[in-house]
Amino acid sequence: MAEAQKMAVSDEVAIQITGMNKWYGQFHVLRDIDMTVNRGERIVICGPSGSGKSTLIRCINRLEEHQSGHIVVDGTELTSDLKNIDKVRSEVGMVFQHFNLFPHLTILENCTLAPIWVRKIPKKEAEETAMHFLRKVKIPEQANKYPGQLSGGQQQRVAIARSLCMRPRIMLFDEPTSALDPEMIKEVLDTMIELAQEGMTMLCVTHEMGFAQAVANRVIFMDKGQIVEQNEPKEFFSNPQSDRTKLFLSQILGH
Amino acid sequence: MAESFVRKEMLEAQAPPASQAGAIAWVRENLFSGPLNTILTLLGIVVIYWLISTSLPWWLNGVWNASSLSECRSIVAASAGEGATGACWAMLRERWHQFIFGFYPPESYWRPILAFVLLFVALAPVLFTSVPRKALWFTAIYPALCFWLLWGGPIWTPIVAMMGFVILGLAVVYLSSYLGAPGSAAAGVVAAVLWWLFLQGPVAGFLASNLPFGLASVNSDRFGGFLLAITIGVTAIGCSLPIGIILALGRQSNMVIVKALSVAFIEFIRGVPLITLLFTASLLLQYFLPPNTNFDIILRVIILVTFFAAAYLAEVIRGGLAALPRGQYEAADALGLDYWQAQRLIILPQALKISIPGIVSSFIGLFKDTTLVAFVGLMDPLKGVTQIVRADMNWKGIYWEPYIFVGAIFFIICFGMSRYSMYLERKLKTDHR
Ligand SMILES: Nc1ncnc2c1ncn2[C@@H]1O[C@H](COP(=O)(O)OP(=O)(O)OP(=O)(O)O)[C@@H](O)[C@H]1O
Ligand SMILES: [Mg+2]
């Protein structure tokens, strides 16, 4: 935990969300969200199922549209302007629960596709970058295989490498380990911890409380579409304030 | 307490008893496993025996050398005895060219033959990835070349027509940075259509009168047989796939107008029999077109057959699109790919791969449906040519032989397509499930 505090957080704002609301039809899924994320912050978002965690981080790269309030990512406000959306998406990486690799492309092609077509980087250079990140997630030898030939943990590490190849300034993780067998969770978490130590701005929806304690500098607890409590991990776990948080923590840590 | 045991000698493998393996076991298990199976097997044997015993003499007594059906019959009677049946293949010897070419001028048979051979050259880079990509250039010019070879006329007509596509391409390349992909494509289409409507005729006419170079022109009413079927089939297959893809994407679109138009088109075309569309092609289309345009009947038929196939393909492809998990779209979006990039690089390759069996069935159906053009007076191989052959006094009364011949050629082509689709599925299998 001491280590977590060491990692630098700057004053520069990376994500600013103010008064944001979202509805699915009549259902008010996100209510009055206010949140500021500084560059270099590692934020863990937790909360009961259906509390809107996924929806919140998916609003940050506009996979979901919000209906009121403002979301500003790296100085670009997310509106219906496609240029802004493309700009934000190319700067924000996202890792999904079910990896969502492209099964018809090799691992290397998965990693070079977006740099080549979105960033217009020459193929050769994109491949070098891809190999660099595949080495970093420790699976360079799988580069020419297809996703279907890899284990879940390996696929998730490829998904992380694929995002990193776009050189994002912010990374979003939506329950990256919850579809994995226990023995593979560690290899993915190790990769994420390494990323955190390099100063990546990260928002991570996860129930891995060990991870939260090791790298997060802030834990956000959500319930019923609202941010109920946020605090630094030590305080959050040892001294939760709201009853909902206490109940939630007792449920996930209790047994 | 268990007795201890250590094996000293390993056992050699032995052949299984005869009742477990070999032909006898196979027959017992698969043909006579129970009373019902035994009855069905015996019934099947009887049916097969009956089929063979009645038709075999007909095949064996086939006559290849004769100049009329009555001569065939007398040869069969002389060799196999009075009352024996025999096929009269001699008709094919004399008339095969009509089944293949219709009334295409015989001195120009080399043109469709060359076009047919070049078709494979043009298809090779599309069908097999091992062929160098540069060969796609030939594929691109093939339609114009093929048109010129088949219909003849001054070479300038197809070249000037192709210029329309060049204009479209240039517009997309040079305007896309100002107008975006859809905008530049729309501008290109408008420019190309203007070219075709107003400039194509004068320019081609000018070139043709100053640089006369061309082939003897062949009118559409000379086309027939498999030349006609393959011309319509291949063109419609080639054009219906892209149109089908666009319709399928349109049907999934968020843009209300695009979606409504796609749905209306698909449902209308699918809801109407092909023959109705063909009559439309032969009669009605003329009313809608500007009065002095003389739209070739084959071209009109091709357009409607293409629409018909495209509507079916759109639904097949929509099935493929629906089978893709949402995550694929989301991953593409999250990486910053725009709509067209995501479709082209991520969604369509997978959706089309899933749809290959359905797409190829549609193509096979389309190719067989080309025989329906007989209803608008074109000489399809099945009805059109056969009727002409039977109208000849020499071959009056011949029945099975032309249908068997035409059926066999259709079978070879369709079976080839089906085999190719299986090859393609195997080759594209990367999911390793
Ligand atoms: N496309 C949608 N249409 C309608 N309702 C939706 C949609 N997506 C999510 N919801 C609803 O919104 C609420 C929040 O969903 P969300 O996926 O954000 O929850 P979550 O906190 O990520 O839950 P989990 O831990 O189960 O992933 C849920 O009640 C869900 O049923
Ligand atoms: Mg979720």
Side-chain angles (χ1 to χ4, degrees), chain B residues 239-278:
Chain B
C239 301
S240 63
L241 188 59
I243 299 180
I245 291 173
I246 298 204
L247 285 173
L249 293 180
R251 192 165 191 167
Q252 298 228 313
S253 165
N254 296 329
M255 289 181 274
V256 181
I257 302 284
V258 172
K259 182 172 174 148
L261 286 176
S262 306
V263 172
F265 182 93
I266 292 170
E267 296 302 341
F268 173 73
I269 300 263
R270 285 203 313 162
V272 173
L274 178 56
I275 296 182
T276 313
L277 295 178
L278 291 176

Side-chain angles (χ1 to χ4, degrees), chain B residues 143-422:
Chain B
L145 179 64
C146 176
F147 171 83
W148 182 60
L149 279 174
L150 292 181
W151 274 272
I155 191 163
W156 302 111
T157 316
I159 290 182
V160 175
M162 285 295 265
M163 286 299 294
F165 288 104
V166 174
I167 290 172
L168 202 168
L170 289 177
V172 171
V173 170
Y174 288 105
L175 295 180
S176 60
S177 48
Y178 306 107
L179 302 174
S184 60
V189 168
V190 170
V193 168
L194 289 177
W195 169 264
W196 285 321
L197 282 183
F198 299 111
L199 289 172
Q200 141 130 327
V203 171
F206 173 79
L207 284 168
S209 57
N210 287 296
L211 295 163
F213 175 67
L215 292 166
S217 69
V218 177
N219 212 323
S220 283
D221 55 14
R222 313 295 293 273
F223 283 59
F226 280 99
L227 170 59
L228 181 69
I230 293 176
T231 305
I232 297 175
V234 170
T235 318
I237 285 174
C239 301
S240 63
L241 188 59
I243 299 180
I245 291 173
I246 298 204
L247 285 173
L249 293 180
R251 192 165 191 167
Q252 298 228 313
S253 165
N254 296 329
M255 289 181 274
V256 181
I257 302 284
V258 172
K259 182 172 174 148
L261 286 176
S262 306
V263 172
F265 182 93
I266 292 170
E267 296 302 341
F268 173 73
I269 300 263
R270 285 203 313 162
V272 173
L274 178 56
I275 296 182
T276 313
L277 295 178
L278 291 176
F279 281 130
T280 312
S282 79
L283 302 169
L284 279 178
L285 224 52
Q286 270 152 332
Y287 295 117
F288 294 120
L289 292 167
N292 51 2
T293 44
N294 181 20
F295 227 43
D296 189 274
I297 174 77
I298 295 186
L299 193 57
R300 276 183 273 157
V301 164
I302 285 177
I303 291 175
L304 285 177
V305 172
T306 301
F307 284 173
F308 189 74
Y312 277 89
L313 281 179
E315 288 298 283
V316 170
I317 294 166
R318 188 166 70 101
L321 290 172
L324 285 195
R326 273 223 59 73
Q328 293 291 306
Y329 294 86
E330 289 175 356
D333 281 348
L335 285 170
L337 296 169
D338 66 32
Y339 176 81
W340 291 106
Q341 288 172 334
Q343 292 298 339
R344 190 159 55 88
L345 302 168
I346 310 297
I347 307 302
L348 283 176
Q350 297 184 62
L352 290 178
K353 187 173 88 178
I354 300 172
S355 328
I356 288 172
I359 292 176
V360 174
S361 320
S362 294
F363 284 169
I364 289 176
L366 183 164
F367 184 59
K368 291 188 296 187
D369 281 351
T370 58
T371 52
L372 293 176
V373 300
F375 286 96
V376 292
L378 291 177
M379 235 187 308
D380 81 298
L382 204 59
K383 186 160 183 285
V385 177
T386 306
Q387 243 169 15
I388 287 165
V389 169
R390 275 207 235 116
D392 184 340
M393 278 313 290
N394 287 337
W395 305 113
K396 204 171 167 68
I398 199 161
Y399 192 76
W400 291 99
E401 292 84 346
Y403 292 135
I404 289 175
F405 175 66
V406 172
I409 295 189
F410 268 111
F411 176 79
I412 290 169
I413 296 174
C414 295
F415 187 66
M417 286 198 252
S418 135
R419 286 276 122 179
Y420 175 76
S421 98
M422 289 166 82

Side-chain angles (χ1 to χ4, degrees), chain A residues 24 27 29 48-55 175:
Chain A
Y24 280 124
F27 178 51
V29 56
S49 179
S51 56
K53 310 177 294 290
S54 301
T55 312
E175 306 204 29

Side-chain angles (χ1 to χ4, degrees), chain A residues 46-92:
Chain A
C46 60
S49 179
S51 56
K53 310 177 294 290
S54 301
T55 312
L56 172 61
I57 69 165
R58 289 155 61 86
C59 282
I60 295 172
N61 65 352
R62 194 73 172 194
L63 287 183
E64 301 289 352
E65 199 177 321
H66 59 281
Q67 276 89 34
S68 74
H70 303 276
I71 302 178
V72 180
V73 180
D74 257 337
T76 310
E77 166 144 25
L78 282 170
T79 56
S80 52
D81 185 344
L82 288 177
K83 284 233 162 55
N84 286 359
I85 295 175
D86 286 342
K87 182 159 182 288
V88 166
R89 282 179 178 168
S90 67
E91 278 171 20
V92 177

